[in-house]
Amino acid sequence: MRDDKQPICTYGGYTCAESYQSSYGFCTLQHMPLDPGGMCRFCIEVKDGSSLNFMNQGMPALVPDSDHLDLTGAFTIFAFVKKTAEQGNSGASREYIVTKQSDYSGKGYWIALIPTGAIGEYDMEFGVYVGSEKFRTARQTVNVPVDEWLHIGVTYSGTALTMYADQVMVSTLMFDDEPPMYNRRNSQPLLVGKDFAGLIDNLLMFDSVRVSDDFVSDSMCPHNLPANNDGGLIAYFRFNEAEGFMTRDASPHGAGGTFGYLGLVCANAPEGNMAMLQCAPGHTISEVLYANFGENDGTCGAYEAGPCALDRQLVEEFVGAACLNHNNCSIPATVSTFNTTLACRATTRTLAINAICKPALSAWSMHTAPTLVGETHLFTDDLFCPFELMDQKIGFEGDDNALPDWLDQTLEDLMMNDAQCGGADTLDSAQTGRPVVFGLRAKDGCGYRSLTSTADDFDATVTYPMIFNVSAMEELETCPDFPQTRFPNISIAVHNGNLEGEEPAYCSSWSDVFVFSYTPTFFGEPLMSISYESGSSDAEKTLIDNVRVAVDTAPISSATTKVIGSVVDADDVHVVCEAGVESRFQVVAYDESGNRIMKHGDADKLAVNVMETPSAGYHIENATEPGVYDVFIIFATSGTFTLQVTLLNSTIYEGTVTCSGSMIRMMDQLNIDFPEARFEHTVVSYNDDLYVFGGAKSDKTYLDATLKFDLDIEESSMYYSFKRMVMVDSMPEEVFNVELHLDTEMLISSGKLKEDCSDLRFFTWEGDSTLPMWVEPSQAPAGCGSSSTSVWIRVPGGMERFWMYYGNKQATSMSDAVSVFGDMFEDFEYSESPLDNGWTLENATSDSCTPDAGYNPGEAASFYTSDLVSMTGTRSLRANIADFLGGSLEKAVPMMKRFTMKVFMYDLKCEGAHFVSPDFKVCQPLDLIESSAQHKSLLPNLDNGVGVYTSSDNETYCVMYPWHSSTAKREHGWHSFTLQDDDERLTITYDDVMVLPLRADDVTTDVSKIFLRAARLPEQEHSSVFWDSILVTEYIPGLAASYMEEQHVVFSREAKWETVGIQDPPPARQAHTAVVYGDSMYIFGGEQSTYEYSDVWRYDFGDDLWEFQPAINGFDTLGRHDHSAVVYNNTMYVYGGRSPAALGDFWAYDFDRSSWRPMPVSEGMMGRYGHSAAVTGGKMYVYGGYVSKEQSREGELTDEIWAFDFAHMEWLKVGPRYDNFAQDWIEDPTDAILFPQAIPLPRFAMTAVITGMEPALYAVGGAGGGSMMEEQPDIWKFDIQAKEWKWMGSSSLLARYDSAGALVANGTLLVMYGGHAQGRFMGDVIVIYVGESGLGSGDMLRAGLVAP
């Protein structure tokens, strides 16, 4: 016991005397302590102590009459009763639980149990007097278990009278056809337990109809309602006093001191009569509560003396002397009885007495009615984020009580680990690797603090669901049911101040606070469950019942994220890429716990770095599969490089990559209508489209057409880098499914084909359409990634040649078996029964021709589609012989004498008969033949099949008939069986490589159906098998497909030529120049039939219109052709050309003013034509060309490079030089080409451009050599900074002159069109990679763009 006069807390709603601390084990309801602030820290253990025990003595508890007890409106009455075996029945016809009736008329209300004579059976009766001599009464037989508490409830609304037993309605009586009627007032006391044998506890009365949801809380939780009595409680007798003869009304109506009395007897005898008190047998009068002679008002138990009365003390002493310790007594109601006189006169004088009859045994029982007080009842509404407690202080004034150490440390640790904190609304989500924390304020069933529970009372787990794991079968030696795997369960830690192994900290302010925490480490949707022991009850209760938690992955982690693909899987010397050709690898995102992240959003956290090369261009895109990122990369040069992939600046991969040099590619002309060949035309690029103007045809016709070539740069997924011709031998005239065996393993490992073969395409020879095709999936024995991948192509009749394309890293798969085989392909991609999708259940026995096996027609439920494993799509056919009988499925196909049937089976290495057949026929049992040999002799020879038949051999795959083993060992996983017949011989091939032996070499058959058998064999274990991707197609002996040499191409079906600028074009011409300024193309000069043009025309790309640009000034010497033109700032600079002699002048054309002005020239720079010019770094570079003989010292062609500095307005000869400092244009040796080094042969009519992060001039083709007209088949690069030439390679495609080209794809590709070579006029487009000097990280050619 603590210091006196310290306020106490209530535990479980029980209240204690005087509002002070007490050492009693329990307290009576003398006072309710106030704690409006909820800050009380001290507690004592109190409990409901008793109930009323009516011991067959017929002495009820009496509550004096009061207006509120008359129940003159709607009302509800609850009570607990307990009939005991010891007491049995009282013997009365009615045992009243409660009654307020007249002893004479019976008017009032009552609830009674009427014995039926059967043990534990009573009629429950509820009656109300509603006036006019009318009673409304309900009666229903109920079961009243012996020695168990029964909750009795009644409600009356005025029109409905209803009875309940243990909260279950047992009877209702409706009076809807009558107006509402209510109980009438009377002056009778309320009697509890009249003639009742047993225990009664917790009597509640309401002046309203309570709903069933309130029954438990009303009856099993102590009421401490506010003064306004919102609940309508008008009487509440808890019977917890355990001693004495008074019981208090705990309702608001009883706050003024309303009591009930146990064993109360009364007398109110008129003067001159006899006042008699009579106790029940075994009772004696123990106390006189009231005795008065004279004026008396009130009723039994509530008498009050009027002004005319004898001395009360005198009368009470006399009555006590006469009656105490007697069972009964009689006292004359006269003045003389008391030896005194009464001077006053009254209308009526009576002798009124209230006395208590005490039983021989106590009227109190320590067996109390069920209560939720003290019994822990937890609700998710009481969950909260415990971080809210971190700043909370609890205590009385001056008591600064912070969190206890255990709670403070627990919460500190969780906060430091960024725990997810919340209440019930956050339980359904979590993140791997991140702690989850939630708090609980424990309460009992009545909502009061529960201070007795400990962490040991809880069982809290997060359980991941079981998952069928077919692949786990590979680790098993036997064949049980499918192994079920799941992530380990997570135990939820429960923290509480009542520590394990210690006495409960009962009076701790924090004993009712629990902190739950766990850290999920696996992605998925586990179930959270929390149960607890409730205290007084042995039954385990549930707080959280299988709440599904959506556990999301944590942020991407550099420690677990993986980089995959042929580029990163290769060794140091294996070539996996080509310079300038896009390669791809993938990043698969994982979180720190090793969970696959199944969503996108991390691409911006990835970066790629390539060392030992000027640079590499890359970009990252979301792959189709969530959480996977495609990294498309172009290596700038050939060589072996270090590739580094970082995630949030942490390296997740570093390895070497070897790339070959870039190849010159031709724009593939399949399905593209190219214009006729031309030369001496111009080409510019705008938005990566080529614009061609003028030129001359092979017949010397001058052209004025403007052409646009849409390279479809933005639609990068349409570009392919490689093609091969496919040849078909013995191709029939009808459409046919051709099987091509392709070494995709090599193509993938060399970086030319995507790892899933999704960029494989086939086109008709004319290119007018794609061919339907199906690539067998990677898990197939001859699937994608194998050295002999089966690719099925549906080829039009008579087409002996068609095209195969690949090398597009952004292509999506067009592999579709149904488009090839139609109805002759079955992939089971449906959830319905196969019997609803063309299959029938065949009447076949387990062993087709073994009579003693018995007839087994099969069971349809054995066959259904499943998503456990699949070859194609997401489903396969499962034959479940573990749970069902098994049987045979059959699907009809058109009969073929020459056919190929291919079936994929997932072998679990189980016992049974699991086979496929094209011709299976049922053998009838030959019961009359006893000899097994005779059986065999009568077997048909038309049954052919392959699969598992463990009665013959459990270790190998077997063929029939008769069944015999093969050399093909059984292995877990997917396997293929191919049955092929050319009408002369049937062959059965296992996994596309092993031919299985048949019973004879001349076995042949026809196909008319797909027959699948899955059955359990006698005395063998149950089993399962999966089938998928079944195809049937015609077969032609000798038909074979092969592919030719690989060609390097740029192919897009979307690329196209079109004529533009049709309205009012410039006059036809050749050898002019074209430049781009703003959104327009400008052409200048050119020649037609020896006429030299000096005009300027403008073509608006957006408006598709030509417009002549008249100059505000003019010069007679402007006319020319074979000159050069470049743009710098807002000016076009024109140098040289011929008219017809070589020119050495230099002009500037102002686009904005349409004006010409002459520019300075160099004395040492000879006039020239057929040269090239380009601009970079504020300088114009002029290379090569033909120079006049009069000025040339070394011939007609030159290999010189000159530079004009726009800032200083002067020329500089870069080289080759023969001396230095001789003239102004050959001063500083550092500005010149240094020797020794190789330089290209002098040439003219070539194509030259400047591009790159480190600018370089690329010179392609042209004419030169001894005759000056020899086509040059090479490409050279001049490093402007280093002043060095580098030979980049040669190709017959480059051997041309008078061609034209332009840069696209951010300057990484030079696209050239037309020209002249060896007397031929060219109409093709070639693509040259010129990105060796570096690819900007933000200026990368889009993946798959041209695959140059």
Side-chain angles (χ1 to χ4, degrees), residues 905-1112:
M905 181 185 80
Y906 194 98
D907 189 2
L908 295 169
K909 292 198 71 175
C910 299
E911 296 179 333
H914 311 313
F915 61 87
V916 58
S917 171
D919 57 6
F920 188 84
K921 293 180 175 58
V922 179
C923 293
Q924 299 300 320
L926 305 178
D927 297 329
L928 300 178
I929 301 177
E930 299 179 359
S931 166
S932 175
Q934 289 177 299
H935 283 189
K936 298 290 185 181
S937 66
L938 295 177
L939 294 180
N941 61 1
L942 295 178
D943 291 344
N944 299 281
V946 61
V948 174
Y949 197 78
T950 53
S951 288
S952 178
D953 190 346
N954 194 26
E955 298 300 320
T956 68
Y957 295 105
C958 298
V959 293
M960 71 164 184
Y961 199 87
W963 285 106
H964 58 278
S965 62
S966 71
T967 57
K969 296 290 185 182
R970 292 183 62 189
E971 294 180 347
H972 288 281
W974 284 109
H975 299 282
S976 67
F977 298 107
T978 304
L979 296 92
Q980 196 168 73
D981 199 304
D982 61 2
D983 201 25
E984 294 182 359
R985 180 182 179 186
L986 172 69
T987 59
I988 299 178
T989 307
Y990 163 71
D991 280 355
D992 292 275
V993 293
M994 183 181 296
V995 177
L996 305 183
L998 302 181
R999 61 181 178 268
D1001 291 339
D1002 58 351
V1003 173
T1004 185
T1005 188
D1006 301 335
V1007 64
S1008 59
K1009 59 186 174 182
I1010 305 169
F1011 181 90
L1012 300 177
R1013 179 64 178 166
R1016 187 186 311 173
L1017 294 174
E1019 300 182 1
Q1020 291 192 347
E1021 295 292 332
H1022 58 259
S1023 60
S1024 285
V1025 69
F1026 294 86
W1027 307 93
D1028 200 4
S1029 303
I1030 303 173
L1031 65 90
V1032 178
T1033 188
E1034 289 187 281
Y1035 171 64
I1036 296 178
L1039 187 148
S1042 58
Y1043 49 88
M1044 304 297 105
E1045 261 187 41
E1046 184 177 78
Q1047 302 178 42
H1048 299 80
V1049 297
V1050 174
F1051 172 64
S1052 169
R1053 295 204 70 203
E1054 303 302 318
K1056 62 183 179 181
W1057 285 94
E1058 60 180 313
T1059 302
V1060 296
I1062 299 175
Q1063 183 176 349
D1064 299 327
R1069 66 192 68 198
Q1070 69 173 3
H1072 53 284
T1073 55
V1075 296
V1076 174
Y1077 174 68
D1079 295 323
S1080 300
M1081 172 175 68
Y1082 290 80
I1083 67 166
F1084 166 69
E1087 176 268 339
Q1088 180 183 162
S1089 302
T1090 72
Y1091 178 77
E1092 307 289 347
Y1093 284 101
S1094 61
D1095 52 354
V1096 177
W1097 288 75
R1098 172 179 170 268
Y1099 172 75
D1100 188 296
F1101 293 115
D1103 295 338
D1104 188 28
L1105 291 175
W1106 280 104
E1107 182 181 12
F1108 174 66
Q1109 304 292 296
I1112 63 173

Side-chain angles (χ1 to χ4, degrees), residues 40-59:
C40 181
R41 288 191 57 244
F42 307 118
C43 51
I44 59 175
E45 183 177 2
V46 294
K47 57 187 176 182
D48 279 351
S50 58
S51 60
L52 282 182
N53 185 3
F54 299 93
M55 302 173 294
N56 296 334
Q57 303 300 322
M59 293 296 292

Side-chain angles (χ1 to χ4, degrees), residues 662-937:
S662 62
M663 302 295 294
I664 308 301
R665 282 177 158 76
M666 179 182 292
M667 176 66 72
D668 196 85
Q669 299 187 25
L670 189 70
N671 86 312
I672 302 178
D673 294 327
F674 270 66
E676 57 187 315
R678 68 191 62 205
F679 70 105
E680 294 261 39
H681 52 286
T682 56
V683 174
V684 300
S685 67
Y686 179 77
N687 289 341
D688 282 336
D689 293 327
L690 298 184
Y691 288 83
V692 179
F693 177 75
K697 296 194 300 184
S698 59
D699 62 359
K700 307 300 184 181
T701 302
Y702 293 93
L703 301 170
D704 64 355
T706 308
L707 304 176
K708 176 185 176 182
F709 185 34
D710 183 356
L711 293 171
D712 197 34
I713 295 297
E714 295 304 318
E715 297 297 329
S716 58
S717 61
M718 302 305 296
Y719 280 84
Y720 296 83
S721 301
F722 307 96
K723 80 171 183 179
R724 294 174 187 260
M725 184 172 63
V726 179
M727 304 288 295
V728 183
D729 295 332
S730 303
M731 182 67 196
E733 293 302 317
E734 301 81 22
V735 62
F736 199 81
N737 297 329
V738 174
E739 183 179 17
L740 173 69
H741 295 283
L742 180 65
D743 188 353
T744 59
E745 180 183 28
M746 179 272 295
L747 294 177
I748 292 172
S749 64
S750 61
K752 296 179 178 180
L753 182 68
K754 290 177 67 175
E755 288 80 358
D756 59 358
C757 299
S758 59
D759 54 338
L760 200 58
R761 297 288 189 273
F762 294 90
F763 291 90
T764 59
W765 181 254
E766 297 81 8
D768 53 356
S769 63
T770 58
L771 298 178
M773 58 102 178
W774 180 54
V775 184
E776 292 191 7
S778 57
Q779 60 265 43
C784 174
S786 68
S787 60
S788 182
T789 301
S790 288
V791 183
W792 295 85
I793 309 108
R794 189 161 182 81
V795 181
M799 184 174 288
E800 298 180 345
R801 297 179 298 174
F802 54 90
W803 296 105
M804 174 175 65
Y805 289 83
Y806 52 93
N808 181 347
K809 297 303 186 292
Q810 292 200 35
T812 57
S813 177
M814 291 184 63
S815 176
D816 179 16
V818 175
S819 68
V820 177
F821 304 103
D823 294 339
M824 308 284 276
F825 182 80
E826 173 63 272
D827 58 0
F828 304 102
E829 291 298 306
Y830 45 80
S831 57
E832 303 85 6
S833 167
L835 300 181
D836 297 329
N837 287 273
W839 294 84
T840 58
L841 189 67
E842 177 64 27
N843 293 329
T845 56
S846 293
D847 184 351
S848 60
C849 299
T850 304
D852 55 1
Y855 183 68
N856 172 6
E859 185 176 6
S862 309
F863 299 94
Y864 52 88
T865 64
S866 167
D867 59 2
L868 290 178
V869 291
S870 64
M871 170 59 65
T872 55
T874 60
R875 307 184 74 86
S876 62
L877 175 68
R878 180 182 180 185
N880 182 356
I881 320 304
D883 303 314
F884 302 101
L885 189 62
S888 304
L889 282 185
E890 179 180 298
K891 187 174 187 178
V893 299
M895 193 189 75
M896 298 178 228
K897 292 184 174 297
R898 297 175 177 177
F899 68 89
T900 297
M901 174 190 286
K902 193 167 190 177
V903 182
F904 292 90
M905 181 185 80
Y906 194 98
D907 189 2
L908 295 169
K909 292 198 71 175
C910 299
E911 296 179 333
H914 311 313
F915 61 87
V916 58
S917 171
D919 57 6
F920 188 84
K921 293 180 175 58
V922 179
C923 293
Q924 299 300 320
L926 305 178
D927 297 329
L928 300 178
I929 301 177
E930 299 179 359
S931 166
S932 175
Q934 289 177 299
H935 283 189
K936 298 290 185 181
S937 66

Side-chain angles (χ1 to χ4, degrees), residues 37 117 137 168 234 248 275 306 313 343 540 694 863 938 1054:
T137 306
V168 177
I234 59 173
R248 180 183 172 182
Q313 183 177 356
E540 194 173 62
F863 299 94
L938 295 177
E1054 303 302 318

